Amino acid sequence: MLDRLRLQRLAGPTRWVVLGIAVASVTAFLVAQRQSTDTTYGRSPSTATITEGSAGEISGATLPSVEEMTAMVAAERVVRLPGAVAEWDTGRVSAAIGTSDVRILVAPPGLTKDQQGEVRKVENATIRVLGTKVSGGFYQASGSTLTEWRDQFARNDVTGQLVELIRALRKDAGRPAAADDDAAGGGVWRDPTAAELDTVAAALRADGRYIASGATIKAAPAKAAEEAFGTRSTLVVALPVQPRDTPAPRFGPRLAELFPDRPIVVMYGAWIEYHGPHTADFADVTAASFYARFGNRLSAYAYPQDNVLGAYLALVTDVRYAGLFDRPLPYRPVDPLRVALPVLPWLFAACVAAFLVLSARALPGPRPPKGLAVAGRDGVRARLAGLTALAVEVSGLTDNRTDAALTRAISSLGAAGKALDAQLPDQHVRGLLDDAERELDSVGRAVGVAGYRPAEYLRGRLA
């Protein structure tokens, strides 16, 4: 009976706590339903861009005046200004020019907008080359294949662009190309020597990067590489622009054999190659997208390799998040609310059920008619009589340890009897009987007689 009485006392405050949890859960669930539609495969943390004006692309080169450049072009068919980097196959270009009076002005990369405007004011220049950007008349020639872009950005070779622009200016672009027009420009590629490969491989094993003399990269962007390839083990090789007429070492395939499970990025000037896992899935797609998007700016300005590589890695990240090739997305922290949402309706239902059960337990039992004793263990008068009889029986067994508890129990029983005679509320009487029962229970434990514990004594007496 004591346990039941305690449960009834706890049921009141507990049910309100449960109700509060139910309200909180349903509120959180309803608020979370305000969602916007998102049809993307993933949201990339990077944005592929090359910031204009603050990325080190201005070389600081100086130019002669417009009048001086005009005089120079009038005197020579090809004028190369200080700092010019563009190269080409003179045989193919001369064959394309033929007997036409085509004059070419070659300017350095990284000129400001005003300086570029001055170059365009040289009206007697048939073709202007700004860095490796080729234009003339109303036309601008640019690469359209990976081979052309590689020649342009890895070797500063603009042979293909010059030939196509000259043919367009001569209005004979529709005629069949000469046999040598389809020849590969910019020299050839070769396997690296054993010494070259060992040097690069040793640097990669040491700190994951190799920066050759003349390269303009300061540090490999570790965070951007991790976002792009989903691993911290990306290897970076940075080399300067290669001479046009000298075979250049192609490190990528050989390094992929030495490090088969690691992403490898190799830079030749502004040209970037990827080798490693999933090369066939995205390398060509990403390269074509990158140079089609940024080739026009890369050809005219002198961007450091840090900026070019950073933009390339950001684009690789965008491609991965777009789901264009099958690779796992980088780790994204779990949103606890999204995980918990399916549970909230069930939590709400459980709390409501618990509230109803506790509310039923908290309700007082049926009250007996006033002045009458109700038979059974829940009868107030019967309980008073039973506890009084127990107090009398154990009084002969008490000692100094239990006398005080017995005295308190008898006092509570006397008060309960007076309250019952005065027809005070049963709740008050039950409280006094609860106090008496606790005191008698301590006496029963002290005397060591099991039958003198109130729960057992009343069970036998009121049954």
Side-chain angles (χ1 to χ4, degrees):
M1 177 178 293
L2 183 60
D3 292 339
R4 181 178 178 181
L5 292 174
R6 289 180 178 177
L7 288 177
Q8 287 180 342
R9 288 187 175 184
L10 291 175
T14 303
R15 60 176 177 159
W16 296 115
V17 173
V18 172
L19 182 61
I21 296 175
V23 172
S25 63
V26 74
T27 302
F29 182 80
L30 293 176
V31 171
Q33 303 311 304
R34 297 182 299 175
Q35 303 175 15
S36 59
T37 303
D38 187 358
T39 58
T40 60
Y41 177 74
R43 192 179 303 275
S44 172
S46 301
T47 300
T49 182
I50 299 178
T51 306
E52 181 175 356
S54 61
E57 74 270 31
I58 304 301
S59 62
T62 58
L63 295 177
S65 66
V66 176
E67 292 75 15
E68 291 174 330
M69 289 188 286
T70 301
M72 295 167 66
V73 172
E76 299 288 341
R77 297 184 65 174
V78 177
V79 176
R80 299 182 63 88
L81 298 177
V85 298
E87 302 284 349
W88 59 84
D89 185 330
T90 55
R92 291 182 62 195
V93 173
S94 297
I97 293 174
T99 58
S100 302
D101 184 19
V102 174
R103 296 181 179 271
I104 304 174
L105 176 60
V106 188
L111 301 180
T112 64
K113 294 289 186 181
D114 292 338
Q115 289 176 318
Q116 294 180 27
E118 292 177 2
V119 173
R120 295 189 185 95
K121 291 178 182 179
V122 181
E123 296 180 354
N124 60 342
T126 312
I127 297 175
R128 292 173 293 272
V129 183
L130 296 172
T132 59
K133 182 179 179 180
V134 180
S135 62
F138 297 103
Y139 301 100
Q140 176 181 326
S142 59
S144 58
T145 66
L146 293 179
T147 300
E148 292 175 345
W149 283 319
R150 183 182 64 181
D151 291 342
Q152 179 181 0
F153 296 111
R155 297 178 179 272
N156 291 331
D157 181 11
V158 294
T159 302
Q161 291 92 318
L162 283 174
V163 170
E164 289 303 317
L165 182 57
I166 291 168
R167 290 176 57 201
L169 293 173
R170 291 181 58 185
K171 302 185 184 302
D172 58 357
R175 69 178 176 87
D180 61 347
D181 283 352
D182 295 327
V188 296
W189 295 83
R190 62 173 175 82
D191 281 339
T193 64
E196 291 172 331
L197 187 62
D198 290 343
T199 300
V200 174
L204 295 180
R205 292 189 181 97
D207 59 7
R209 64 178 182 174
Y210 173 79
I211 301 177
S213 177
T216 58
I217 190 172
K218 297 179 181 179
K223 182 179 179 180
E226 182 180 355
E227 290 178 347
F229 304 114
T231 177
R232 297 183 179 180
S233 63
T234 302
L235 305 177
V236 177
V237 177
L239 304 168
V241 174
Q242 303 297 296
R244 182 193 175 277
D245 297 319
T246 302
R250 192 159 186 256
F251 286 100
R254 296 299 304 275
L255 292 175
E257 295 174 0
L258 296 177
F259 306 95
D261 299 324
R262 301 182 67 175
I264 303 170
V265 176
V266 183
M267 297 189 70
Y268 300 89
W271 173 252
I272 301 177
E273 292 183 358
Y274 171 82
H275 298 271
H278 304 279
T279 299
D281 294 335
F282 78 97
D284 289 349
V285 172
T286 305
S289 175
F290 180 76
Y291 288 102
R293 180 176 178 181
F294 298 121
N296 191 50
R297 291 197 58 83
L298 291 175
S299 62
Y301 291 94
Y303 285 101
Q305 288 176 301
D306 295 273
N307 300 80
V308 180
L309 179 57
Y312 172 82
L313 293 175
L315 182 59
V316 173
T317 304
D318 292 340
V319 171
R320 293 188 65 211
Y321 272 85
L324 297 184
F325 58 96
D326 186 17
R327 295 194 65 192
L329 292 176
Y331 170 76
R332 302 186 72 181
V334 176
D335 185 350
L337 179 59
R338 298 296 178 187
V339 175
L341 277 179
V343 182
L344 294 182
W346 296 100
L347 177 62
F348 171 75
C351 289
V352 170
F355 175 77
L356 295 177
V357 171
L358 292 173
S359 297
R361 288 183 173 274
L363 294 176
R367 296 184 178 182
K370 293 182 179 180
L372 296 178
V374 178
R377 58 186 301 177
D378 290 331
V380 176
R381 293 185 181 277
R383 186 182 176 198
L384 174 61
L387 293 176
T388 301
L390 175 61
V392 172
E393 291 191 31
V394 300
S395 62
L397 302 176
T398 58
D399 52 23
N400 294 334
R401 296 177 304 158
T402 56
D403 285 343
L406 178 62
T407 301
R408 290 192 295 270
I410 294 174
S411 298
S412 297
L413 292 173
K418 293 179 180 180
L420 189 62
D421 294 339
Q423 297 185 353
L424 295 179
D426 283 354
Q427 185 175 2
H428 175 67
V429 178
R430 292 177 191 275
L432 294 172
L433 294 179
D434 290 343
D435 295 338
E437 186 170 337
R438 281 193 296 272
E439 299 295 347
L440 289 175
D441 188 67
S442 65
V443 174
R445 288 197 304 271
V447 299
V449 180
Y452 283 164
R453 298 286 297 276
E456 297 183 12
Y457 185 85
L458 292 178
R459 185 181 304 113
R461 184 178 181 88
L462 301 179

